[in-house]
Amino acid sequence: MAGTEFIENSPETKPFWDATAAGLFVLPWCRQCQRTHWYPRGVCPYCLSTALDWRESPGEGEIHSFSVNRMRKEPYVLAYVALSEGPIMLGNVVDGDPATLSIGRKVKVVFKPTSGGPPIPFFAVR
């Protein structure tokens, strides 16, 4: 996948991609304000602390907003997902009928393989 090499080599995102390679979904967590955030970065967006850890997440959430692109043969769904820990993450919804999607629909992270890189997290309808 284009750009995967750069992502893997970023110090801020390397723990995330290492975890996906092991089949785990992890999120950055601040030891100072005790909040989870997304996207990976070296500084907490809430309190500006650099005391960050990575915590395993079940990858569960619900659709906050979504769009169905029907320009291709198969519909392509892009959604903002409100994770159970609080952050909102942008990702693709897969393995579900786009006609049945709605705001509030429960989803869970699933990993899809890439060619030569770590698996990429997507969201599947629960």
Side-chain angles (χ1 to χ4, degrees):
M1 174 169 224
T4 302
E5 182 178 334
F6 171 76
I7 292 170
E8 284 183 278
N9 291 327
S10 166
E12 288 84 11
T13 61
K14 186 175 183 327
F16 177 79
W17 295 113
D18 288 347
T20 66
L24 301 173
F25 182 67
V26 296
L27 297 169
W29 183 79
C30 177
R31 291 190 308 264
Q32 183 170 313
C33 70
Q34 301 183 359
R35 293 177 74 181
T36 303
H37 62 272
W38 183 259
Y39 60 90
R41 58 196 104 179
V43 174
C44 174
Y46 302 110
C47 71
L48 304 179
S49 171
T50 57
L52 305 175
D53 287 326
W54 289 87
R55 292 208 168 168
E56 188 173 351
S57 165
E60 297 172 347
E62 60 183 47
I63 295 175
H64 182 73
S65 176
F66 72 99
S67 176
V68 180
N69 181 330
R70 300 182 191 281
M71 299 297 289
R72 300 184 338 186
K73 186 176 182 176
E74 294 293 321
Y76 177 86
V77 179
L78 189 62
Y80 281 105
V81 173
L83 298 169
S84 59
E85 293 86 354
I88 296 177
M89 182 178 182
L90 181 65
N92 296 101
V93 177
V94 297
D95 304 334
D97 180 1
T100 66
L101 295 181
S102 62
I103 292 173
R105 184 79 188 259
K106 303 290 185 192
V107 293
K108 182 168 176 56
V109 166
V110 294
F111 294 103
K112 300 287 184 176
T114 62
S115 57
I120 303 290
F122 290 85
F123 294 97
V125 175
R126 295 195 298 159

